Amino acid sequence: MNAIIFANGEFCPPDIPLELEADDLVIAADGGSRHCLKLGIIPDVLIGDLDSIDSETLANWQNSGKTVIQYPEDKDQTDLELALIYAQKKNADEILVYGSVGGRLDMTLGNMILLAHPELKIPITLKCGAEEIRLIKAGDSLTITGQPGDIVSLIPMQPGKSIVTTAGLKYELVSEGLEYSFTRGISNSLVGKHAEINLESGLLAVVQ
């Protein structure tokens, strides 16, 4: 089962129309409900402090029998963080997040660093149009698929060096270190339709 989460940033339509499977768990993180309305989707779960959803829509979804989980406005977690943790507790195999970038810069940065949340153990992809952001932890590998020439950026996410080996990228790395706060890993590209990225140590964001 995949979890599809709609957050309250800007929604960039994917190149391929969004199609939901019957067993997908669809979650609206508060203001992400506006994207659901635009797409004609009724989420299975609405979660957050619910300060960004109009009362009529909220009442309609409550009356439809959907799960509504309301938190106090004064809380320590963003609505998206609550949604991600909820999806993991529901045993999702993978989480896809739409509407996680754009709008407020602080929220965009906060949404990106949620990929490194210590309680989240399942794959999470932030999606914005044709772009995707994923995270690789030490000892993990990632296979990416696309078209020759697609831009792939490798961005270290913690102090020190992230030791990386790649195959299928224009600028190959063989157990080489990408240093935190430096931009060496920006704007690599696919040679063919597939590439493999292996992380020996560190923490690495992959933007495709």
Side-chain angles (χ1 to χ4, degrees):
M1 175 190 72
N2 288 336
I4 314 297
I5 298 177
F6 292 91
N8 195 25
E10 295 178 4
F11 179 77
C12 306
D15 287 350
I16 301 174
L18 177 60
E19 294 185 2
L20 302 177
E21 301 294 335
D23 63 344
D24 285 341
L25 174 65
V26 181
I27 303 172
D30 199 351
S33 55
R34 62 192 173 95
H35 304 313
C36 293
L37 287 171
K38 185 177 294 186
L39 294 168
I41 295 171
I42 298 178
D44 301 299
V45 180
L46 174 65
I47 191 170
D49 55 25
L50 308 188
D51 63 346
S52 300
I53 181 172
D54 67 86
S55 57
E56 182 179 353
T57 300
L58 175 59
N60 287 339
W61 287 354
Q62 287 174 323
N63 293 335
S64 72
K66 300 300 182 181
T67 300
V68 176
I69 305 172
Q70 185 168 9
Y71 284 80
E73 185 174 349
D74 295 326
K75 61 187 189 310
D76 295 329
Q77 298 160 301
T78 63
D79 298 322
L80 178 55
E81 183 177 353
L82 294 169
L84 289 167
I85 292 172
Y86 178 89
Q88 178 165 272
K89 288 180 178 178
K90 290 298 180 180
N91 299 314
D93 299 308
E94 183 178 4
I95 302 174
L96 307 177
V97 183
Y98 293 89
S100 61
V101 301
R104 285 173 48 182
L105 182 57
D106 57 341
M107 294 298 289
T108 296
L109 292 172
N111 292 342
M112 290 179 64
I113 63 172
L114 278 173
L115 292 172
H117 196 297
E119 294 180 24
L120 296 170
K121 307 298 184 183
I122 57 180
I124 302 169
T125 303
L126 306 184
K127 299 177 74 69
C128 181
E131 297 183 279
E132 298 183 346
I133 306 172
R134 285 167 283 189
L135 193 74
I136 311 178
K137 299 179 181 179
D140 290 343
S141 63
L142 176 68
T143 299
I144 59 177
T145 301
Q147 296 298 320
D150 283 359
I151 294 173
V152 178
S153 293
L154 309 178
I155 304 173
M157 294 288 286
Q158 68 181 30
K161 289 185 177 181
S162 293
I163 307 301
V164 187
T165 295
T166 66
L169 296 180
K170 180 178 180 180
Y171 304 108
E172 297 287 13
L173 299 171
V174 181
S175 295
E176 294 184 58
L178 294 179
E179 186 80 32
Y180 179 71
S181 78
F182 289 80
T183 57
R184 182 187 175 196
I186 299 289
S187 293
N188 209 326
S189 61
L190 283 173
V191 175
K193 293 187 176 181
H194 306 281
E196 183 85 11
I197 302 164
N198 296 283
L199 185 64
E200 297 174 30
S201 64
L203 191 65
L204 193 70
V206 178
V207 184
Q208 180 186 358

